[in-house]
Amino acid sequence: MNNIPDILKTQKTFFRTQKTKDVNYRLQLLKALKTEIIVSEQAIYEALKKDFKKSEFESFISEFGLVVSELNLAIKNLKRWAKPKRVKASMLTFPSKDYIYKEPYGIVLVIGPWNYPFLLTMEPLIMAIAAGNTVVIKPSELTEHTSGLVAKIIENVFSKEVATAVQGGIPVATELLAQRWDYIFFTGSVPVGKIVAKAAAKHLTPVTLELGGKSPCIIDDTINLKLTAKRLVWGKFLNGGQTCIAADYLIIHKNIKSAFIDILKEELIKVYGEKPETSNDFPRIINKRNTERLAKILENTNILYGGDLDIEDCYISPTLIEVADLNNTLMSDEIFGPILPILTYETEEDIEAIVWNFEKPLAFYMFSNNKNFVERTINKFEFGGGVVNDLLIHFGNHNLPFGGVGHSGMGAYHGKLGFDTFSHEKSIIKRGNWIDPPVRYAPYSPKKFKILKQMFKWFG
Ligand code: NAD
């Protein structure tokens, strides 16, 4: 059944049966999902390898492992998360018991990108189900094998009235967005994020937008060059540089620039060898169109290292490029590939002029041992989230909210916050009947007014 309005109707009818409000039922679904995912581990690695030659190791740390850990967390904590939370009563509502109820929104649409095609469809699915919603997932059409597997896993675990995957490209996504959902969770590019926000606005549907942008990495002259190069190469070139929170470009202090570039080259050779095209650990670009896009932005640039291309094989080698000014084509859009532009700074004003030239980024990285500089910089710039002296690892802590700000997105998730994202917080006051102070009732009198004012003074 791929009739989209019918899917919605079936899920709405099911949602109204109240079955998903039962926490034990949700737990049963999450446990079944976990079993199916664990059974599919090898198939997940194979699908990711077929889609863009992603290695098993990277598929484990950046997709499978994170999904299983999110499932474990939800299964362990769901009863506690879902319980109405008692909050302090206000003296003005006294006597009462005051609560926050976690209410599922209803029918949720999740649209996923291709770059972490398993993680970025499964994680929202887990938390939407944990929160008691029904879900329709639209995985990316560009990762045929992984998206097909995601659909199969969902089909094996859920009945269509609870969760289903609808596969397809832009026409299918457009039809999905034309429907009225109770919540939309979108991960993808900024331009498509705007299309999603517009579609959501039509029905005032709440939306989370996990987008991208140009995320800077600042390196000052107080660092350990070798350790910094090691961490930078890992975080920039993981997944072939196709990571929303990869460092998009470097801003490095001019005093250490040339020494650092030498060490960076050594590190790249150590990690991927002299011929990265033969390394099993270096993935390909997702498709020919994106490879051509990257090849185009490499034209007429000052390549310091790499720059090797094989369009047919969707291959671009890890590449370092010196960039003298912001008019360079590399600085116009998110790169989303294994190309690292290197800019230089001398003063903090130089950094401001670069960073403030762009929209608020999704991620922000700094390598520095100067605590004052670090604190000042964290507070100065607005961005989704960041790391000092490493890259990407803020994604891996489910106690930290993950999301963008401004053009890099709105809303956040991960861990309990993912559960909260898919839950409406409903305020409930349960009033006691044993006393009923008469002050608020008409007829009002000067005496009652005086008491009322006194109460305000006491209770704020
Ligand atoms: P994309 O925006 O092209 O596609 C994302 C999804 O939207 C796909 O499922 C696609 O089918 C659908 N889509 C594409 N065009 C559409 C349209 N016109 N109308 C409706 N739906 C449409 O993004 P992508 O290329 O798959 O992923 C790369 C982008 O995603 C990068 O910008 C990256 O920074 C961002 N991203 C963000 C995060 C995050 O967590 N913030 C994570 C991964 C990727």
Side-chain angles (χ1 to χ4, degrees):
M1 182 176 74
N2 228 352
N3 180 324
I4 290 167
D6 274 359
I7 295 175
L8 261 97
K9 218 159 118 198
T10 313
Q11 291 207 348
K12 187 121 219 154
T13 307
F14 183 71
F15 182 72
R16 288 192 169 152
T17 65
Q18 307 299 309
K19 182 101 169 128
T20 66
K21 305 270 174 79
D22 175 357
V23 174
N24 287 318
Y25 174 66
R26 298 182 209 169
L27 275 172
Q28 209 180 302
L29 293 173
L30 293 176
K31 286 176 186 166
L33 180 61
K34 183 177 163 186
T35 306
E36 184 68 22
I37 286 177
I38 287 177
V39 167
S40 311
E41 180 173 356
Q42 211 51 44
I44 295 164
Y45 299 152
E46 277 160 26
L48 287 161
K49 181 150 271 168
K50 279 187 193 152
D51 281 329
F52 57 115
K53 289 198 182 164
K54 184 160 172 166
S55 69
E56 251 183 59
F57 191 92
E58 286 195 3
S59 297
F60 177 82
I61 53 161
S62 68
E63 309 233 23
F64 179 83
L66 290 173
V67 168
V68 173
S69 123
E70 202 75 354
L71 262 169
N72 287 339
L73 186 84
I75 291 168
K76 186 166 162 223
N77 294 291
L78 185 57
K79 286 200 167 151
R80 191 167 49 82
W81 292 348
K83 226 163 117 180
K85 188 172 157 233
R86 178 115 184 241
V87 296
K88 243 173 96 182
S90 141
M91 283 305 167
L92 292 172
T93 63
F94 177 84
S96 68
K97 288 181 178 166
D98 299 19
Y99 298 91
I100 299 170
Y101 277 59
K102 295 286 191 179
E103 176 184 76
Y105 280 101
I107 320 302
V108 170
L109 171 66
V110 173
I111 299 183
W114 57 262
N115 64 332
Y116 289 88
F118 185 69
L119 171 71
L120 297 176
T121 44
M122 281 298 162
E123 192 174 337
L125 170 74
I126 292 164
M127 288 307 167
I129 291 289
N133 300 279
T134 69
V135 187
V136 174
I137 302 262
K138 210 296 279 168
S140 173
E141 68 280 23
L142 302 188
T143 42
E144 181 193 340
H145 300 96
T146 314
S147 297
L149 186 60
V150 164
K152 194 170 143 225
I153 289 173
I154 292 173
E155 201 183 328
N156 288 348
V157 174
F158 302 96
S159 63
K160 283 201 163 74
E161 54 203 7
V162 183
T164 189
V166 176
Q167 295 198 72
I170 298 176
V172 169
T174 306
E175 193 187 344
L176 285 165
L177 286 172
Q179 315 301 315
R180 180 166 183 171
W181 301 91
D182 295 310
Y183 201 95
I184 300 176
F185 189 99
F186 172 78
T187 308
S189 62
V190 174
V192 181
K194 289 181 185 172
I195 295 172
V196 173
K198 209 167 159 190
K202 190 170 167 214
H203 298 296
L204 292 180
T205 303
V207 61
T208 295
L209 299 176
E210 295 284 343
L211 310 177
K214 283 190 95 59
S215 300
C217 175
I218 298 166
I219 300 185
D220 79 0
D221 56 356
T222 64
I223 50 130
N224 174 322
L225 298 184
K226 276 206 161 144
L227 182 64
T228 302
K230 210 164 153 182
R231 292 178 176 176
L232 181 67
V233 164
W234 175 77
K236 171 68 188 181
F237 297 99
L238 181 102
N239 216 42
Q242 302 164 106
T243 302
C244 54
I245 47 169
D248 188 274
Y249 61 95
L250 268 195
I251 313 176
I252 187 160
H253 197 283
K254 84 167 199 348
N255 288 352
I256 55 154
K257 181 180 146 201
S258 102
F260 187 68
I261 288 170
D262 288 344
I263 292 178
L264 211 48
K265 289 179 190 169
E266 278 168 27
E267 183 62 24
L268 279 167
I269 293 168
K270 201 170 122 202
V271 171
Y272 298 117
E274 297 275 1
K275 290 184 172 173
E277 67 271 32
T278 61
S279 161
N280 288 329
D281 300 331
F282 188 65
R284 294 301 181 259
I285 306 303
I286 188 61
N287 58 15
K288 226 171 127 181
R289 192 171 58 84
N290 268 291
T291 318
E292 282 163 352
R293 172 184 68 81
L294 292 166
K296 182 111 196 93
I297 60 172
L298 279 183
E299 283 170 11
N300 306 318
T301 53
N302 182 12
I303 296 177
L304 302 173
Y305 178 81
D308 302 324
L309 307 169
D310 181 345
I311 305 273
E312 286 310 312
D313 188 30
C314 294
Y315 170 75
I316 301 212
S317 67
T319 300
L320 307 176
I321 297 192
E322 174 150 45
V323 169
D325 68 75
L326 296 173
N327 297 321
N328 192 299
T329 47
L330 281 168
M331 299 311 287
S332 59
D333 266 318
E334 182 183 8
I335 291 175
F336 223 60
I339 300 172
L340 182 63
I342 301 176
L343 291 96
T344 318
Y345 81 94
E346 265 189 272
T347 65
E348 291 189 31
E349 287 73 33
D350 295 340
I351 298 176
E352 289 169 11
I354 298 170
V355 173
W356 280 336
N357 187 57
F358 300 102
E359 296 290 348
K360 297 171 187 175
L362 182 60
F364 192 98
Y365 303 108
M366 290 187 78
F367 285 86
S368 171
N369 285 316
N370 178 339
K371 283 191 181 148
N372 288 335
F373 174 53
V374 166
E375 250 355 89
R376 207 163 45 243
T377 310
I378 290 175
N379 286 306
K380 188 187 292 175
F381 298 112
E382 297 98 17
F383 51 88
V387 186
V388 178
N389 294 330
D390 212 332
L391 269 78
L392 313 187
I393 56 171
H394 59 309
F395 191 96
N397 180 354
H398 54 226
N399 296 312
L400 292 172
F402 180 81
V405 58
H407 274 226
S408 54
M410 59 175 83
Y413 71 135
H414 279 195
K416 174 166 185 303
L417 216 100
F419 174 86
D420 291 343
T421 289
F422 290 107
S423 308
H424 163 63
E425 294 204 320
K426 191 152 82 176
S427 300
I428 292 292
I429 292 185
K430 294 182 180 168
R431 194 78 153 107
N433 292 329
W434 55 275
I435 186 174
D436 192 30
V439 180
R440 68 174 163 154
Y441 300 114
Y444 308 126
S445 63
K447 190 176 160 202
K448 279 187 177 176
F449 199 26
K450 210 169 142 192
I451 296 172
L452 185 71
K453 282 188 165 171
Q454 195 54 50
M455 279 172 72
F456 263 82
K457 244 190 223 161
W458 286 340
F459 306 126

